[in-house]
Amino acid sequence: MTGTQLASSIKPGSLDQEQSERALRRIKDYLMRHPEEKTIEVAAEVVGDDALILPREAVSMLAFILAQVAEGRGVQVMPSHAELTTQQAAAMLNVSRPYLISLLEAGAIPYRLVGRHRRIRHDDLMEYKRQDSARRRGAADELSELGQELGL
């Protein structure tokens, strides 16, 4: 990624899984008991300090992160505008770098050049991934229907 740090990572096993699971349960319970609240007030631990006010969406994202950590998985949070190198993008798609470059040159995924280096926006890569998954599901559905028609 370019410029300042654009992602924050938690490596698998680097946080206490039990503590993450307890925090996740408390957050989920609170969100379920207060479904209409748009902001969540977190009480201060020191008397006299102001409570921390968080947007509900941020608390929901924290719950997702804690769920992953509780399962022993690593997590990476990245803004949608982050730019990836071709190697990073290929790794996210689980394809080779030369194959990714062929997709870029075919116009399947937008990119920009920084000097001689290609940069792919994270949200453009995720959009390609969503569209590719939809194409694959459609093809699988067609094959399934054809198999049923042929009695396979």
Side-chain angles (χ1 to χ4, degrees):
M1 283 161 282
T2 61
T4 60
Q5 183 181 7
L6 292 175
S8 180
S9 299
I10 298 172
K11 296 191 182 324
S14 66
L15 296 179
D16 185 298
Q17 287 179 258
E18 289 180 26
Q19 185 180 33
S20 298
E21 198 170 313
R22 283 192 305 275
L24 173 62
R25 278 195 307 271
R26 290 189 66 193
I27 290 172
K28 281 183 166 182
D29 289 346
Y30 185 90
L31 292 174
M32 292 199 44
R33 285 193 319 269
H34 303 90
E36 301 301 318
E37 288 188 26
K38 300 289 184 217
T39 58
I40 310 301
E41 186 172 313
V42 181
E45 289 188 22
V46 178
V47 177
D49 281 352
D50 294 335
L52 177 63
I53 308 297
L54 299 171
R56 184 180 191 88
E57 292 81 11
V59 174
S60 293
M61 182 175 281
L62 176 59
F64 173 78
I65 291 168
L66 288 169
Q68 300 307 306
V69 171
E71 292 292 323
R73 298 185 189 111
V75 179
Q76 184 171 29
V77 178
M78 182 180 315
S80 60
H81 73 276
E83 290 186 319
L84 307 168
T85 65
T86 53
Q87 189 62 51
Q88 291 167 326
M92 290 183 81
L93 293 179
N94 199 28
V95 299
S96 69
R97 186 175 164 277
Y99 179 75
L100 174 79
I101 290 171
S102 71
L103 291 173
L104 297 176
E105 291 176 352
I109 305 170
Y111 70 96
R112 73 181 187 106
L113 287 173
V114 178
R116 296 182 8 230
H117 303 282
R118 296 171 186 89
R119 295 292 183 258
I120 302 103
R121 284 181 35 146
H122 180 263
D123 54 354
D124 290 336
L125 188 68
M126 293 301 99
E127 180 59 27
Y128 169 80
K129 193 172 183 176
R130 279 188 288 277
Q131 290 174 358
D132 187 54
S133 291
R135 280 191 298 271
R136 290 173 189 259
R137 278 191 305 275
D141 290 345
E142 286 180 31
L143 284 174
S144 177
E145 287 174 21
L146 183 59
Q148 287 177 354
E149 288 174 12
L150 296 174
L152 300 176

CSV table of all heavy atoms in Angstrom, one decimal, residues 7-35:
chain,number,residue,atom,x,y,z
A,7,ALA,N,-3.8,0.3,6.3
A,7,ALA,CA,-4.4,-0.8,6.8
A,7,ALA,C,-3.9,-1.1,8.3
A,7,ALA,O,-2.8,-0.8,8.6
A,7,ALA,CB,-4.2,-2.1,6.0
A,8,SER,N,-4.8,-1.7,9.0
A,8,SER,CA,-4.4,-2.1,10.4
A,8,SER,C,-4.7,-3.6,10.5
A,8,SER,O,-5.7,-4.0,10.0
A,8,SER,CB,-5.3,-1.3,11.4
A,8,SER,OG,-5.0,-1.7,12.7
A,9,SER,N,-3.7,-4.3,11.0
A,9,SER,CA,-3.8,-5.8,11.0
A,9,SER,C,-3.8,-6.3,12.5
A,9,SER,O,-3.1,-5.8,13.3
A,9,SER,CB,-2.7,-6.4,10.2
A,9,SER,OG,-2.8,-6.0,8.9
A,10,ILE,N,-4.5,-7.4,12.6
A,10,ILE,CA,-4.3,-8.2,13.9
A,10,ILE,C,-4.0,-9.6,13.4
A,10,ILE,O,-4.7,-10.2,12.6
A,10,ILE,CB,-5.7,-8.3,14.6
A,10,ILE,CG1,-6.1,-6.9,15.1
A,10,ILE,CG2,-5.5,-9.2,15.8
A,10,ILE,CD1,-7.5,-6.8,15.7
A,11,LYS,N,-2.8,-10.1,13.8
A,11,LYS,CA,-2.4,-11.4,13.4
A,11,LYS,C,-3.1,-12.5,14.1
A,11,LYS,O,-3.5,-12.3,15.3
A,11,LYS,CB,-0.9,-11.5,13.6
A,11,LYS,CG,0.0,-10.5,12.8
A,11,LYS,CD,1.4,-10.9,12.8
A,11,LYS,CE,2.3,-9.9,12.0
A,11,LYS,NZ,1.8,-9.4,10.8
A,12,PRO,N,-3.3,-13.6,13.5
A,12,PRO,CA,-4.0,-14.7,14.2
A,12,PRO,C,-3.3,-15.1,15.5
A,12,PRO,O,-2.1,-15.2,15.5
A,12,PRO,CB,-3.9,-15.9,13.2
A,12,PRO,CG,-3.7,-15.3,11.8
A,12,PRO,CD,-2.9,-14.0,12.1
A,13,GLY,N,-4.1,-15.2,16.5
A,13,GLY,CA,-3.5,-15.6,17.8
A,13,GLY,C,-2.9,-14.5,18.6
A,13,GLY,O,-2.4,-14.7,19.7
A,14,SER,N,-2.8,-13.3,18.1
A,14,SER,CA,-2.1,-12.2,18.8
A,14,SER,C,-2.9,-11.6,19.9
A,14,SER,O,-2.4,-10.9,20.8
A,14,SER,CB,-1.6,-11.1,17.8
A,14,SER,OG,-2.7,-10.4,17.2
A,15,LEU,N,-4.2,-11.8,19.9
A,15,LEU,CA,-5.1,-11.3,21.0
A,15,LEU,C,-5.7,-12.5,21.7
A,15,LEU,O,-5.9,-13.6,21.1
A,15,LEU,CB,-6.2,-10.4,20.4
A,15,LEU,CG,-5.8,-9.1,19.7
A,15,LEU,CD1,-7.0,-8.4,19.2
A,15,LEU,CD2,-5.0,-8.2,20.7
A,16,ASP,N,-6.1,-12.3,22.9
A,16,ASP,CA,-6.7,-13.3,23.7
A,16,ASP,C,-8.1,-13.7,23.2
A,16,ASP,O,-9.0,-12.8,23.1
A,16,ASP,CB,-6.8,-12.8,25.2
A,16,ASP,CG,-7.3,-13.9,26.1
A,16,ASP,OD1,-8.5,-14.3,25.9
A,16,ASP,OD2,-6.6,-14.2,27.1
A,17,GLN,N,-8.2,-14.9,22.8
A,17,GLN,CA,-9.5,-15.4,22.2
A,17,GLN,C,-10.7,-15.3,23.2
A,17,GLN,O,-11.8,-14.9,22.8
A,17,GLN,CB,-9.3,-16.8,21.6
A,17,GLN,CG,-8.5,-16.8,20.3
A,17,GLN,CD,-8.4,-18.2,19.8
A,17,GLN,OE1,-7.3,-18.8,19.9
A,17,GLN,NE2,-9.4,-18.7,19.1
A,18,GLU,N,-10.4,-15.7,24.4
A,18,GLU,CA,-11.5,-15.8,25.4
A,18,GLU,C,-12.0,-14.3,25.7
A,18,GLU,O,-13.2,-14.1,25.8
A,18,GLU,CB,-11.0,-16.5,26.7
A,18,GLU,CG,-10.9,-18.0,26.5
A,18,GLU,CD,-10.4,-18.7,27.8
A,18,GLU,OE1,-10.7,-18.1,28.9
A,18,GLU,OE2,-9.8,-19.7,27.7
A,19,GLN,N,-11.0,-13.4,25.9
A,19,GLN,CA,-11.4,-12.0,26.2
A,19,GLN,C,-12.2,-11.5,25.0
A,19,GLN,O,-13.1,-10.7,25.2
A,19,GLN,CB,-10.1,-11.2,26.4
A,19,GLN,CG,-10.3,-9.8,26.8
A,19,GLN,CD,-9.0,-9.1,27.1
A,19,GLN,OE1,-8.0,-9.3,26.4
A,19,GLN,NE2,-9.1,-8.1,28.0
A,20,SER,N,-11.7,-11.8,23.8
A,20,SER,CA,-12.4,-11.3,22.6
A,20,SER,C,-13.9,-11.9,22.5
A,20,SER,O,-14.8,-11.1,22.2
A,20,SER,CB,-11.7,-11.7,21.3
A,20,SER,OG,-10.4,-11.1,21.3
A,21,GLU,N,-14.0,-13.1,22.9
A,21,GLU,CA,-15.3,-13.8,22.9
A,21,GLU,C,-16.3,-13.1,23.9
A,21,GLU,O,-17.4,-12.9,23.7
A,21,GLU,CB,-15.2,-15.2,23.2
A,21,GLU,CG,-16.4,-16.1,22.8
A,21,GLU,CD,-16.1,-17.5,22.8
A,21,GLU,OE1,-15.0,-18.0,22.3
A,21,GLU,OE2,-16.9,-18.3,23.4
A,22,ARG,N,-15.7,-12.8,25.1
A,22,ARG,CA,-16.5,-12.2,26.2
A,22,ARG,C,-17.0,-10.8,25.7
A,22,ARG,O,-18.1,-10.4,25.9
A,22,ARG,CB,-15.8,-12.1,27.5
A,22,ARG,CG,-15.7,-13.4,28.3
A,22,ARG,CD,-15.2,-13.2,29.7
A,22,ARG,NE,-13.9,-12.5,29.7
A,22,ARG,CZ,-12.7,-13.1,29.6
A,22,ARG,NH1,-12.7,-14.4,29.5
A,22,ARG,NH2,-11.6,-12.4,29.7
A,23,ALA,N,-16.1,-10.0,25.1
A,23,ALA,CA,-16.4,-8.7,24.7
A,23,ALA,C,-17.4,-8.8,23.5
A,23,ALA,O,-18.4,-8.0,23.5
A,23,ALA,CB,-15.1,-8.0,24.2
A,24,LEU,N,-17.3,-9.7,22.7
A,24,LEU,CA,-18.2,-9.9,21.6
A,24,LEU,C,-19.6,-10.2,22.1
A,24,LEU,O,-20.6,-9.6,21.7
A,24,LEU,CB,-17.8,-11.0,20.6
A,24,LEU,CG,-18.8,-11.5,19.6
A,24,LEU,CD1,-19.0,-10.3,18.6
A,24,LEU,CD2,-18.2,-12.7,18.8
A,25,ARG,N,-19.7,-11.1,23.1
A,25,ARG,CA,-21.0,-11.4,23.7
A,25,ARG,C,-21.7,-10.1,24.3
A,25,ARG,O,-22.9,-9.9,24.1
A,25,ARG,CB,-20.9,-12.5,24.8
A,25,ARG,CG,-20.9,-13.9,24.2
A,25,ARG,CD,-21.1,-14.9,25.3
A,25,ARG,NE,-20.2,-14.8,26.4
A,25,ARG,CZ,-19.0,-15.4,26.5
A,25,ARG,NH1,-18.6,-16.1,25.5
A,25,ARG,NH2,-18.3,-15.2,27.6
A,26,ARG,N,-20.9,-9.3,25.0
A,26,ARG,CA,-21.4,-8.1,25.6
A,26,ARG,C,-21.9,-7.1,24.6
A,26,ARG,O,-23.0,-6.5,24.7
A,26,ARG,CB,-20.4,-7.5,26.5
A,26,ARG,CG,-20.1,-8.3,27.8
A,26,ARG,CD,-19.3,-7.6,28.8
A,26,ARG,NE,-20.0,-6.5,29.3
A,26,ARG,CZ,-19.4,-5.5,30.0
A,26,ARG,NH1,-18.1,-5.6,30.3
A,26,ARG,NH2,-20.1,-4.5,30.5
A,27,ILE,N,-21.1,-7.0,23.5
A,27,ILE,CA,-21.5,-6.0,22.5
A,27,ILE,C,-22.8,-6.5,21.8
A,27,ILE,O,-23.7,-5.8,21.6
A,27,ILE,CB,-20.4,-5.9,21.4
A,27,ILE,CG1,-19.2,-5.1,22.1
A,27,ILE,CG2,-20.9,-5.1,20.2
A,27,ILE,CD1,-18.0,-5.0,21.2
A,28,LYS,N,-22.8,-7.8,21.4
A,28,LYS,CA,-24.0,-8.4,20.8
A,28,LYS,C,-25.3,-8.2,21.6
A,28,LYS,O,-26.3,-7.8,21.2
A,28,LYS,CB,-23.8,-9.8,20.4
A,28,LYS,CG,-23.0,-10.0,19.1
A,28,LYS,CD,-22.9,-11.5,18.9
A,28,LYS,CE,-22.4,-11.8,17.5
A,28,LYS,NZ,-22.4,-13.3,17.2
A,29,ASP,N,-25.1,-8.5,22.9
A,29,ASP,CA,-26.3,-8.4,23.8
A,29,ASP,C,-26.7,-7.0,23.9
A,29,ASP,O,-28.0,-6.7,23.8
A,29,ASP,CB,-25.9,-8.9,25.2
A,29,ASP,CG,-25.7,-10.4,25.4
A,29,ASP,OD1,-26.1,-11.1,24.4
A,29,ASP,OD2,-25.1,-10.8,26.4
A,30,TYR,N,-25.8,-6.0,24.0
A,30,TYR,CA,-26.2,-4.6,24.1
A,30,TYR,C,-26.9,-4.2,22.8
A,30,TYR,O,-28.0,-3.6,22.8
A,30,TYR,CB,-25.0,-3.7,24.3
A,30,TYR,CG,-25.4,-2.3,24.5
A,30,TYR,CD1,-25.7,-1.8,25.7
A,30,TYR,CD2,-25.5,-1.4,23.4
A,30,TYR,CE1,-26.0,-0.5,25.9
A,30,TYR,CE2,-25.9,-0.1,23.6
A,30,TYR,CZ,-26.2,0.3,24.8
A,30,TYR,OH,-26.6,1.6,25.0
A,31,LEU,N,-26.4,-4.6,21.6
A,31,LEU,CA,-27.0,-4.2,20.4
A,31,LEU,C,-28.4,-4.8,20.2
A,31,LEU,O,-29.3,-4.1,19.7
A,31,LEU,CB,-26.1,-4.6,19.2
A,31,LEU,CG,-24.8,-3.8,19.1
A,31,LEU,CD1,-23.9,-4.4,18.0
A,31,LEU,CD2,-25.0,-2.3,18.9
A,32,MET,N,-28.6,-6.0,20.7
A,32,MET,CA,-29.9,-6.6,20.6
A,32,MET,C,-30.9,-6.0,21.5
A,32,MET,O,-32.1,-5.9,21.2
A,32,MET,CB,-29.8,-8.1,20.8
A,32,MET,CG,-29.0,-8.8,19.7
A,32,MET,SD,-29.2,-10.6,19.5
A,32,MET,CE,-30.8,-10.9,19.6
A,33,ARG,N,-30.4,-5.6,22.7
A,33,ARG,CA,-31.3,-4.9,23.7
A,33,ARG,C,-31.7,-3.5,23.3
A,33,ARG,O,-32.7,-2.9,23.7
A,33,ARG,CB,-30.7,-4.9,25.1
A,33,ARG,CG,-30.7,-6.3,25.7
A,33,ARG,CD,-30.4,-6.2,27.2
A,33,ARG,NE,-29.4,-5.3,27.6
A,33,ARG,CZ,-28.1,-5.6,27.7
A,33,ARG,NH1,-27.7,-6.8,27.5
A,33,ARG,NH2,-27.2,-4.7,28.0
A,34,HIS,N,-30.9,-2.9,22.4
A,34,HIS,CA,-31.1,-1.5,22.0
A,34,HIS,C,-31.0,-1.3,20.5
A,34,HIS,O,-30.2,-0.7,20.0
A,34,HIS,CB,-30.0,-0.6,22.7
A,34,HIS,CG,-29.9,-0.7,24.1
A,34,HIS,ND1,-29.1,-1.6,24.8
A,34,HIS,CD2,-30.6,0.0,25.1
A,34,HIS,CE1,-29.3,-1.5,26.1
A,34,HIS,NE2,-30.2,-0.5,26.3
A,35,PRO,N,-32.0,-2.0,19.8
A,35,PRO,CA,-31.9,-2.0,18.3
A,35,PRO,C,-32.1,-0.7,17.7
A,35,PRO,O,-31.7,-0.5,16.5
A,35,PRO,CB,-33.0,-3.0,18.0
A,35,PRO,CG,-34.0,-2.9,19.1
A,35,PRO,CD,-33.1,-2.7,20.3
